[in-house]
Structures are given as structure tokens and as C-alpha cells.
Amino acid sequence: MRVCFPIEENQGLDSPLCAHFGSAPAFLVADSETGECQVQVNGNQHHAHGMCQPLHALGGLAPDALVVGGIGAGALMKLG
């Protein structure tokens, strides 16, 4: 399973987590089967309220799940 975490900065699996999906500077996707990790800079970090484009922000990483402390309703609906 590929799990995505919003992160403050890239430090691999030791990356500090970001409290909110849309404003995270980057995303770390960890594959639980292979142990592989990928990081994608959030190209949609600076957006107007309600205008988050999560698929653009994730840059094609295609995670199976997200672990977030907070996420806006618009981003959540777009991911669905």
C-alpha cells in the first residue's frame, strides 16, 4: 500500500509532518510493501481558500491512502 503524508521538509521517513494537507510544502509517499519512499514538492501550496487541487499537488504519486491532521472539504471531495 502506498501511503501519503504531508511533510514540512524532506528528511525521508524522519520528515516532520505538516498539520494540513493543502498547505504542506511537500508530500512523502511510502510503500509499505517495498519500503520505497518518494517525495513530491507541493506545486499547489499557495492557493486561495477552497481552491486546492490535490491531484496536481500530489504530482502523479497516486497514493492508496492519505494520513492527514487536517484537510479541507473541497480537497477531500476532489480526492474522492
Side-chain angles (χ1 to χ4, degrees), residues 39-66:
V39 172
Q40 172 67 41
V41 172
N42 183 359
N44 190 238
Q45 179 181 5
H46 303 289
H47 58 270
H49 180 73
M51 299 304 293
C52 182
Q53 299 296 320
L55 297 180
H56 174 71
L58 292 172
L61 289 178
D64 299 307
L66 296 175

